[in-house]
Amino acid sequence: CVTGILISTSLSGYGLSRVNWKYRDTVFYILMSSIMLPYFATLIPNFIMWTKFGLTNTFVPLTLPSWFGMGTSSIFGGGMFNIFLLRQFFRTIPRELDEAAFVDGAGHMQIFLRIILPLSKPALICVGLFTFLNTWNDFINPLIFLSSEKKYTIQLGLRTFIGLYSSQWNLLMMAALFAIVPVVIVFLIGQRYFVEGIATTGLKG
């Protein structure tokens, strides 16, 4: 999911910030307006669609949307928020770099790979952290799409310690402790870039 979100949202953010094309801003506003749509309003149609494709009880519904700019449900609007975040960061990079590259014969893909991405490490790490945390802690999507216990994610696995008539709180607390260790490690490694990415996005409207 992290890989898919980084590739799809960075490409979308570049197209919406550095490439001039008709109705670009209109498309951006439409995408941003989708953040206002509650995720649970589309949950049942999504389940019906994946059921007709025969892909329920697989990891496809949990991972494939990430490769198209869509992410798991979150307070940040999933993939649309990441597109907004990267677009705003890309707009802070001086246009003169693009113009100099065009003069040297570079195309949009070369500019994207050799100029924009190397200068956008803080924002990309910020998006990666958001995606990792949202995916790792996601409970509702695995609950809806997975039915086999062998495929349960760690959040569903934690829920199995709580039964209808009894709960194994000691085992649940120990499992929860191990569940948050990767989150703490990832955040400690990327916290400097996380703060920098948040602080430097949105400086230019």
Side-chain angles (χ1 to χ4, degrees):
C1 290
V2 172
T3 303
I5 281 291
L6 287 177
I7 293 175
S8 60
T9 57
S10 61
L11 286 171
S12 301
Y14 178 83
L16 291 169
S17 62
R18 315 293 290 191
V19 182
N20 295 320
W21 46 282
K22 194 175 182 180
Y23 304 124
R24 182 189 67 179
D25 293 337
T26 303
V27 171
F28 172 71
Y29 295 141
I30 292 174
L31 288 175
M32 291 302 101
S33 65
S34 66
I35 295 179
M36 296 184 293
L37 182 66
Y39 173 78
F40 297 100
T42 62
L43 186 58
I44 294 178
N46 277 331
F47 178 77
I48 294 174
M49 178 188 71
W50 291 114
T51 300
K52 290 185 177 181
F53 288 153
L55 294 174
T56 52
N57 198 30
T58 68
F59 294 113
V60 175
L62 305 177
T63 57
L64 187 61
S66 300
W67 292 88
F68 296 91
M70 297 176 285
T72 57
S73 60
S74 70
I75 60 175
F76 300 108
M80 294 302 105
F81 173 80
N82 295 327
I83 291 176
F84 169 77
L85 194 70
L86 291 178
R87 175 185 179 269
Q88 296 303 101
F89 190 91
F90 292 164
R91 286 170 64 90
T92 64
I93 299 175
R95 283 276 187 176
E96 289 77 10
L97 298 176
D98 296 23
E99 296 171 359
F102 281 129
V103 171
D104 290 336
H108 280 295
M109 188 55 65
Q110 291 175 305
I111 294 174
F112 174 70
L113 294 175
R114 297 185 179 183
I115 298 177
I116 301 300
L117 290 186
L119 294 174
S120 305
K121 288 182 181 179
L124 293 173
I125 292 176
C126 181
V127 169
L129 283 172
F130 274 138
T131 305
F132 176 80
L133 294 175
N134 290 333
T135 306
W136 183 265
N137 294 319
D138 188 21
F139 179 81
I140 187 65
N141 285 294
L143 179 65
I144 295 298
F145 294 112
L146 300 179
S147 56
S148 173
E149 290 189 1
K150 295 182 179 180
K151 298 180 179 179
Y152 275 5
T153 62
I154 193 167
Q155 301 303 326
L156 291 182
L158 292 176
R159 185 62 180 81
T160 60
F161 288 103
I162 302 177
L164 182 62
Y165 299 104
S166 63
S167 300
Q168 298 173 301
W169 294 109
N170 56 332
L171 298 179
L172 175 62
M173 293 298 102
M174 181 57 66
L177 176 63
F178 282 104
I180 66 173
V181 168
V183 176
V184 174
I185 293 175
V186 169
F187 184 79
L188 290 177
I189 293 174
Q191 63 175 334
R192 180 171 65 89
Y193 295 100
F194 176 78
V195 174
E196 184 179 352
I198 290 294
T200 55
T201 51
L203 296 180
K204 182 178 180 181

Short mmCIF file of all heavy atoms in Angstrom, two decimals, residues 14 101-102 104-113:
data_model
loop_
_atom_site.label_atom_id
_atom_site.label_comp_id
_atom_site.label_asym_id
_atom_site.label_seq_id
_atom_site.Cartn_x
_atom_site.Cartn_y
_atom_site.Cartn_z
N TYR A 14 2.14 15.70 -9.33
CA TYR A 14 2.95 16.36 -10.36
C TYR A 14 2.07 16.85 -11.50
O TYR A 14 2.23 17.99 -11.97
CB TYR A 14 4.02 15.40 -10.88
CG TYR A 14 4.87 15.99 -11.98
CD1 TYR A 14 5.96 16.80 -11.66
CD2 TYR A 14 4.60 15.75 -13.33
CE1 TYR A 14 6.75 17.36 -12.66
CE2 TYR A 14 5.37 16.30 -14.32
CZ TYR A 14 6.45 17.10 -13.99
OH TYR A 14 7.21 17.66 -14.98
N ALA A 101 15.45 22.62 -17.21
CA ALA A 101 15.47 21.23 -17.68
C ALA A 101 14.88 21.11 -19.08
O ALA A 101 15.39 20.35 -19.91
CB ALA A 101 14.72 20.34 -16.70
N PHE A 102 13.79 21.85 -19.34
CA PHE A 102 13.20 21.84 -20.68
C PHE A 102 14.18 22.35 -21.72
O PHE A 102 14.27 21.83 -22.84
CB PHE A 102 11.92 22.67 -20.71
CG PHE A 102 10.72 21.98 -20.12
CD1 PHE A 102 9.94 22.60 -19.16
CD2 PHE A 102 10.37 20.70 -20.54
CE1 PHE A 102 8.84 21.95 -18.61
CE2 PHE A 102 9.26 20.05 -20.00
CZ PHE A 102 8.50 20.68 -19.04
N ASP A 104 17.34 22.06 -21.64
CA ASP A 104 18.34 21.01 -21.84
C ASP A 104 17.77 19.78 -22.53
O ASP A 104 18.49 18.79 -22.73
CB ASP A 104 18.95 20.60 -20.51
CG ASP A 104 19.84 21.70 -19.92
OD1 ASP A 104 20.33 22.54 -20.71
OD2 ASP A 104 20.02 21.73 -18.69
N GLY A 105 16.48 19.82 -22.87
CA GLY A 105 15.88 18.72 -23.60
C GLY A 105 15.19 17.67 -22.75
O GLY A 105 14.83 16.60 -23.26
N ALA A 106 15.00 17.94 -21.49
CA ALA A 106 14.34 16.96 -20.61
C ALA A 106 12.83 16.98 -20.81
O ALA A 106 12.25 18.02 -21.14
CB ALA A 106 14.68 17.25 -19.15
N GLY A 107 12.20 15.85 -20.61
CA GLY A 107 10.75 15.75 -20.66
C GLY A 107 10.16 15.76 -19.27
O GLY A 107 10.87 15.84 -18.26
N HIS A 108 8.84 15.65 -19.21
CA HIS A 108 8.17 15.70 -17.91
C HIS A 108 8.59 14.53 -17.02
O HIS A 108 8.77 14.72 -15.81
CB HIS A 108 6.65 15.68 -18.11
CG HIS A 108 6.09 17.02 -18.48
ND1 HIS A 108 6.12 18.10 -17.63
CD2 HIS A 108 5.47 17.44 -19.62
CE1 HIS A 108 5.55 19.14 -18.22
NE2 HIS A 108 5.16 18.76 -19.43
N MET A 109 8.75 13.35 -17.58
CA MET A 109 9.12 12.20 -16.75
C MET A 109 10.52 12.36 -16.19
O MET A 109 10.78 12.01 -15.03
CB MET A 109 9.01 10.91 -17.55
CG MET A 109 9.19 9.65 -16.73
SD MET A 109 8.04 9.55 -15.30
CE MET A 109 6.46 9.45 -16.15
N GLN A 110 11.44 12.88 -16.98
CA GLN A 110 12.79 13.12 -16.49
C GLN A 110 12.81 14.18 -15.40
O GLN A 110 13.51 14.04 -14.39
CB GLN A 110 13.71 13.52 -17.64
CG GLN A 110 13.99 12.41 -18.64
CD GLN A 110 14.81 12.89 -19.82
OE1 GLN A 110 14.43 13.84 -20.49
NE2 GLN A 110 15.93 12.25 -20.06
N ILE A 111 12.03 15.24 -15.59
CA ILE A 111 11.94 16.29 -14.57
C ILE A 111 11.35 15.71 -13.27
O ILE A 111 11.83 16.00 -12.17
CB ILE A 111 11.09 17.46 -15.08
CG1 ILE A 111 11.80 18.15 -16.25
CG2 ILE A 111 10.79 18.46 -13.96
CD1 ILE A 111 10.98 19.22 -16.92
N PHE A 112 10.33 14.90 -13.44
CA PHE A 112 9.67 14.29 -12.28
C PHE A 112 10.63 13.40 -11.50
O PHE A 112 10.70 13.47 -10.26
CB PHE A 112 8.45 13.50 -12.75
CG PHE A 112 7.77 12.72 -11.67
CD1 PHE A 112 7.06 13.35 -10.66
CD2 PHE A 112 7.84 11.33 -11.66
CE1 PHE A 112 6.43 12.63 -9.67
CE2 PHE A 112 7.21 10.59 -10.67
CZ PHE A 112 6.50 11.24 -9.67
N LEU A 113 11.38 12.56 -12.20
CA LEU A 113 12.24 11.59 -11.55
C LEU A 113 13.54 12.20 -11.04
O LEU A 113 14.04 11.81 -9.98
CB LEU A 113 12.54 10.43 -12.51
CG LEU A 113 11.36 9.55 -12.91
CD1 LEU A 113 11.79 8.52 -13.95
CD2 LEU A 113 10.75 8.86 -11.70
#
